[in-house]
Amino acid sequence: MTSKGMNEKKLGLLGATGIGIGAIVGGGILALAGVAFATTGPSAIAAFAGNGLLALLTALSFAELSARFPEPGGTYTFARKVLTVEAAFAVGWVVWFASVVAAVLYALGFAAFLVPVLEHIWTATGAAPPTWLGSRFTMLIYALGAVGFYTWSLSRYSRGGRPWATIGKLVMFGILLVGGAFMLAIQPPGKSELSASFRPFLANGVQGLLQAMGYTFIALQGFDLIPAVSGEIRQPEKTVPRAMIVSLLTALAIYLPLLFLIITIGTPGRPVAEVARDNPEIIVATAAHNFLGPVGYWLVILAGLLSMLSALHANLFAASRYAMAMARDRTLPHRFGKLVPGRHTPVRAIRLTGAMAALVLVAVPDVAAAGAMASLIFLASFALAHGIAYLARRRVGANRAFLTPAFPLVPAVGGTACVALALFQALAVPAAGALAALWLSLGAVLFVTRIGARARVFDASSEAMDPQLVKLRGRSPLVLVPIANPANTETLVTMANALAPQAVARVLLLSVVRPPENWVSGEQPQQLTDAQSILGSALSTAFAVKSAPQALITIGEDPWKEIADVASSYRCESLLLGLGNLEEDLMTGPLEKLISEVETDVVILRAPGRWDPKSAENILVPSGGRRDQSPIRARLLGSICRSGKHEVTYLRVLTENQDAETEIRIKRELKKLARDEAPGISHVEVFHSQDLVAKITDRARASDLLILGLQRLGRRNKVFGERVLEIARRTDCPLMMISRRS
C-alpha cells in the first residue's frame, strides 16, 4: 500500500489476532461438531486435532509468505509475486468469491441463531411466536440486514468498528468451558463410564475419521484472512505470522476441551454419535443444556449469534481487501482500489463485496453447495500457498523475518494433505467442483475481454520497477545486444544493464564477423581482431557498471540474418539495437526486414556516445491511443525510471475540428494508459494541431528522451511509417523506437 491512508496502520498483534479469532472461533464448531460426531463418533476430537495440525502446517507456510510479502491481498498477493498475472487473477478471483460465500453462510447462520432468541422474546410477552418469524423469507431479511450493516460499518471505519462480537463470543465460550470443567470436577464420571463414553472411538473406522476431517477442516479456516488485511497492520512482517498462529492455537484451545466435555458429560447415558445423528445441528447446545441447564443452552445460542457476526465481519473485511489489492494491480477495474480520503477505506471494494454477498443470498438456490465450493477453494488455495512458499524459498533464498521449520517437509506434507482433502471434497460434493469451474470460467471470460490487457501492462511495469519479481517467477530473460560500432558501445551496454539487471536477467553481446575473402592460413583475420577489440571494450564497460554479460562472436555473410538466427536459437526476449544515423535506406530495408522476422521485443536506440538512461529526466511518449505497444513500453519505462528522478509525458495530438466531448474522452483514456504504464511518474498533455509531426518535434526539444512505437503487422507490411521516419529525421534528442513481438 502506497497511499497515505493505508500508511496509517491501526492494527497491532491484538487487533490482527482478533480478525483470525473472529473468523475461526465459534461458527465452525457449532455448525460442524454434530456432523463430525455422527460421522466418526468420539474420534471427532481426533479429527479436529488432525485438522488443527494441518492448519498449523499451512499457517507456517502462510507466515513465511506474509513475512516475505508484507502487503495486503493474502493468497492473491502471494500468487501475483511468484506466478504469472493470469494465474494470480485466477487465484484472486476464486478466493475473493469464496470469502464472499463464506460471509453469506455466516449471515445465514446469524439468522438461524437469531430466530430462537426472537421466539423466546416473543413468548416472554405472553403470545405464541408467529410462524413467519422463522420463515425462509424472514431469515433472508435478517441475513441481508447483517450484510448491509457490516458493509456500512466497514465503509465508515478502517476496520469496521470495534470487535465487540469477537470479545463477546470469547467471553461466552470461556463461561461455557469453565462451567463444564466445574461440573466435571464436582461430578466426575467413573473410570468405566468415562471409558465407555469414548467407545467405539472410531465408530466408522479410519475412513470415517478421514471423512470427518474433510467435512470439518473449514472450521479452522480464517487465519488466512489476516494476510489479506496486512496493509492495515503495524509491522506486518512480524505481526501477521504471530497473529495467525495465536489465532489458530486459541481456536484449538477452545475446540478440543469443548469436544471433550461433549463426549464425557454432554450426552449422559447415550453414545455421542447416536445423539449427533438425531440432531447434528444442535449437538453443542444439547450438551451444554445437559451439563449447565438452560443457562448452558442460552450461552451456546448467544455464542453462536456473536460467532456468526464476527465471522461475517472478518470475511467481508478480508474479501474487500482482496478486491482492493486486485484492483490496484488492474486484475479488477482500477476504481475499486481507491481509498476515500479521511476514512482511509476502499469504499467501492467494500460495496462491491457487500453487493456480491447480497446477490448470492438472493440468487443462489443451493447455498450449501456454494459453501462446499468455498471450502474446496480454500483447500486448493492452501495447497497453492504451500507450493508458492516452496518456490519462493528455492528461487530467492530464505527470508530471515520468518523461516518455516523443517523446510521443505512442512510445505510438502501440508500441500499434499490439502490436495487430498480438496479432492475428497470435490468427490463428496460434485456440485462444489461444478460451481468452482463455472465461476472460474466466468472470470476467464472477464479477464480476456475486459481486464487482461491493462493487467498485463501494469504487471510489465511492476516487473521492471521491481526486478526481484522476475526472479521470484523463475524467469531469466535474455537481452541480445549486437555490437558493431565502438562509438555507441558504452551507451548500449549501459542501456542493456538497465533492461536486464544482472541479478535477474542476462545480456548477450553479439559481434558478427564476415568471412574474409582472402585469408592466409596461420594469420588472424583483421575482421576477427576488430570484433575482439569491440567486444573487449564492451565487456570493460560492463564490468565498470557491475554487469557480467555473455559474449558471442559468429561468422556470417549477412549480419542482419545472423542477428535474427541468434535471437531465435537463444530464445531472446528482447533485441537492443544501437544506430548512430537512422538513414531511410537502412530503416526501410534490412532493419525493417529484421524487425518483421524476429519473435522478440525490439528496442532501437539512437543516442550520443556515453549517454546514460538515468540522465533522461523528461521523457516524451507520443500516443495515438492504441495499446499494442503498451507491455514493452511499460517495461522500458520501468527499467529507465527504476532509479533517479524522472517525469514521463504522454502526448496526444488532435485535429483542430475535434469537439470538446471527444477531447475529454481521449484525455481520460490517455490518463488510464499513463497510470498503467508509468504509475506515479507520469502526466498527460493533449494539443490540437493540423501538423502532428511538427507538434511532436517541437515538444521533443524540451525532452531528454523520445519514445516512439512501431507497428509490426506482418512480414510484408511496413514497420516504419512516414510519420515515424519524419519525426526521426527532424529530432536531435535521444530516441528510442520500440516494437512488441508479434
Side-chain angles (χ1 to χ4, degrees):
M1 299 242 179
T2 57
S3 65
K4 179 181 177 182
M6 282 313 208
N7 287 333
E8 299 182 9
K9 301 174 187 265
K10 296 183 178 180
L11 295 174
L13 178 60
L14 192 61
T17 304
I19 292 172
I21 291 175
I24 303 172
V25 174
I29 189 75
L30 295 175
L32 298 172
V35 175
F37 281 126
T39 303
T40 192
S43 59
I45 193 169
F48 273 87
N51 282 336
L53 177 61
L54 177 56
L56 282 171
L57 292 178
T58 304
L60 290 173
S61 287
F62 265 85
E64 178 162 335
L65 290 170
S66 300
R68 188 184 295 276
F69 310 122
E71 303 172 25
T75 312
Y76 161 73
T77 295
F78 306 153
R80 189 184 71 83
K81 295 287 188 180
V82 179
L83 307 178
T84 64
V85 65
E86 293 83 3
F89 166 77
V91 171
W93 180 249
V94 295
V95 170
W96 171 66
F97 186 64
S99 296
V100 169
V101 171
V104 167
L105 294 175
Y106 289 121
L108 290 172
F110 160 75
F113 277 98
L114 182 62
V115 169
V117 175
L118 295 177
E119 289 178 341
H120 183 76
I121 295 173
W122 201 290
T123 303
T125 64
T131 56
W132 58 261
L133 205 60
S135 69
R136 170 76 176 95
F137 177 77
T138 309
M139 291 180 66
L140 182 62
I141 298 300
Y142 302 153
L144 286 171
V147 169
F149 170 76
Y150 277 114
T151 300
W152 169 82
S153 178
L154 287 166
S155 298
R156 286 187 59 84
Y157 307 103
S158 62
R159 49 177 170 157
R162 297 187 180 279
W164 53 270
T166 300
I167 296 172
K169 74 175 178 182
L170 287 177
V171 171
M172 296 296 172
F173 276 111
I175 296 172
L176 194 64
L177 290 175
V178 171
F182 178 74
M183 295 304 298
L184 184 64
I186 63 172
Q187 297 179 357
K191 288 185 178 180
S192 59
E193 186 180 352
L194 183 63
S195 176
S197 64
F198 280 93
R199 292 198 306 264
F201 187 68
L202 293 169
N204 291 302
V206 176
Q207 182 180 357
L209 176 64
L210 294 176
Q211 286 179 332
M213 289 183 66
Y215 292 146
T216 60
F217 183 78
I218 192 69
L220 291 166
Q221 181 271 330
F223 63 88
D224 54 301
L225 303 183
I226 301 174
V229 301
S230 61
E232 286 128 291
I233 296 175
R234 293 190 295 271
Q235 294 184 304
E237 65 279 0
K238 295 181 180 179
T239 305
V240 170
R242 295 172 184 171
M244 285 192 293
I245 293 172
V246 171
S247 62
L248 260 179
L249 292 177
T250 302
L252 291 172
I254 292 173
Y255 285 4
L256 298 181
L258 182 59
L259 293 170
F260 179 81
L261 290 173
I262 293 172
I263 295 169
T264 53
I265 61 174
T267 59
R270 295 181 65 191
V272 67
E274 182 181 316
V275 176
R277 278 192 290 270
D278 291 341
N279 293 291
E281 297 86 0
I282 60 171
I283 182 67
V284 179
T286 300
H289 186 276
N290 286 336
F291 61 74
L292 287 180
V295 173
Y297 173 82
W298 285 107
L299 278 174
V300 171
I301 295 298
L302 292 176
L305 202 63
L306 296 173
S307 296
M308 299 302 170
L309 287 176
S310 65
L312 169 63
H313 166 261
N315 277 276
L316 286 177
F317 186 20
S320 67
R321 271 42 179 189
Y322 284 131
M324 181 189 68
M326 293 178 70
R328 290 189 168 185
D329 296 332
R330 312 309 195 264
T331 48
L332 280 181
H334 183 52
R335 59 181 174 274
F336 294 115
K338 295 180 180 178
L339 301 178
V340 173
R343 298 182 192 175
H344 312 313
T345 56
V347 171
R348 289 177 175 173
I350 293 167
R351 289 174 179 171
L352 173 68
T353 299
M356 180 59 72
L359 181 64
V360 172
L361 271 169
V362 174
V364 176
D366 190 356
V367 178
M373 182 207 71
S375 178
L376 173 64
I377 289 173
F378 284 129
L379 281 167
S381 69
F382 292 167
L384 186 66
H386 283 295
I388 291 173
Y390 174 83
L391 290 175
R393 175 86 77 93
R394 287 300 187 198
R395 288 171 179 174
V396 298
N399 185 297
R400 297 298 172 185
F402 186 94
L403 291 175
T404 300
F407 183 90
L409 187 62
V410 166
V413 173
T416 302
C418 287
V419 168
L421 282 176
L423 290 174
F424 170 81
Q425 185 80 347
L427 294 173
V429 189
L435 278 173
L438 179 63
W439 180 253
L440 195 58
S441 300
L442 178 63
V445 172
L446 180 66
F447 187 84
V448 170
T449 59
R450 303 287 298 173
I451 293 174
R454 293 189 69 185
R456 292 188 183 98
V457 170
F458 189 82
D459 188 65
S461 175
S462 299
E463 274 194 355
M465 295 296 288
D466 181 11
Q468 190 74 357
L469 280 177
V470 178
K471 190 173 183 180
L472 277 166
R473 292 172 176 178
R475 293 176 51 230
S476 182
L478 180 63
V479 178
L480 177 62
V481 186
I483 301 292
N485 185 358
N488 61 13
T489 297
E490 184 173 343
T491 298
L492 284 175
V493 170
T494 304
M495 187 65 218
N497 189 51
L499 289 173
Q502 182 182 349
V504 299
R506 299 162 294 147
V507 174
L508 176 61
L509 303 177
L510 172 66
S511 181
V512 180
V513 177
R514 282 192 172 94
E517 295 180 2
N518 298 307
W519 176 62
V520 178
S521 177
E523 295 183 4
Q524 179 166 294
Q526 185 61 41
Q527 297 96 318
L528 183 58
T529 302
D530 294 341
Q532 291 174 333
S533 175
I534 293 173
L535 279 182
S537 174
L539 290 172
S540 297
T541 302
F543 297 153
V545 296
K546 299 181 179 179
S547 177
Q550 304 172 42
L552 177 67
I553 296 178
T554 65
I555 299 174
E557 290 285 355
D558 184 352
W560 300 103
K561 183 179 182 302
E562 198 68 23
I563 292 171
D565 290 344
V566 171
S568 175
S569 59
Y570 281 78
R571 297 182 180 179
C572 299
E573 182 174 286
S574 303
L575 171 61
L576 175 61
L577 298 169
L579 301 176
N581 297 311
L582 297 177
E583 300 173 357
E584 186 170 345
D585 290 343
L586 172 65
M587 296 171 69
T588 58
L591 182 56
E592 190 165 62
K593 182 180 178 182
L594 172 67
I595 295 173
S596 298
E597 290 180 351
V598 295
E599 294 294 331
T600 67
D601 292 336
V602 178
V603 178
I604 301 170
L605 173 63
R606 181 198 67 188
R610 298 182 177 274
W611 179 79
D612 191 330
K614 293 180 181 179
S615 65
E617 295 184 0
N618 297 299
I619 302 172
L620 181 64
V621 180
S623 172
R626 297 171 59 92
R627 283 180 170 262
D628 50 340
Q629 302 299 327
S630 281
I632 179 176
R633 190 161 54 213
R635 188 171 287 111
L636 178 64
L637 288 170
S639 300
I640 294 172
C641 302
R642 194 163 48 236
S643 60
K645 184 179 179 181
H646 303 271
E647 181 72 23
V648 182
T649 302
Y650 282 77
L651 175 67
R652 182 72 184 271
V653 181
L654 307 178
T655 59
E656 299 285 358
N657 58 358
Q658 286 181 308
D659 55 64
E661 185 177 344
T662 301
E663 181 179 349
I664 292 172
R665 178 181 56 80
I666 288 174
K667 193 169 186 177
R668 183 171 60 248
E669 292 300 317
L670 190 61
K671 285 181 178 179
K672 286 183 182 179
L673 181 68
R675 285 195 299 265
D676 292 346
E677 293 184 0
I681 55 172
S682 58
H683 70 277
V684 304
E685 295 179 3
V686 177
F687 295 101
H688 290 267
S689 176
Q690 293 301 119
D691 191 341
L692 180 144
V693 173
K695 190 64 185 179
I696 293 175
T697 54
D698 181 63
R699 183 63 181 78
R701 293 189 183 97
S703 303
D704 302 315
L705 175 64
L706 173 63
I707 298 179
L708 299 175
L710 305 174
Q711 293 189 33
R712 199 185 310 188
L713 302 176
R715 297 193 175 188
R716 296 186 179 183
N717 297 90
K718 288 188 175 182
V719 173
F720 297 95
E722 293 298 329
R723 287 177 174 174
V724 170
L725 292 172
E726 186 63 23
I727 292 171
R729 282 193 294 264
R730 292 171 59 175
T731 53
D732 297 321
C733 66
L735 169 66
M736 286 186 185
M737 290 181 285
I738 58 176
S739 177
R740 185 187 179 192
R741 71 186 73 182
S742 57

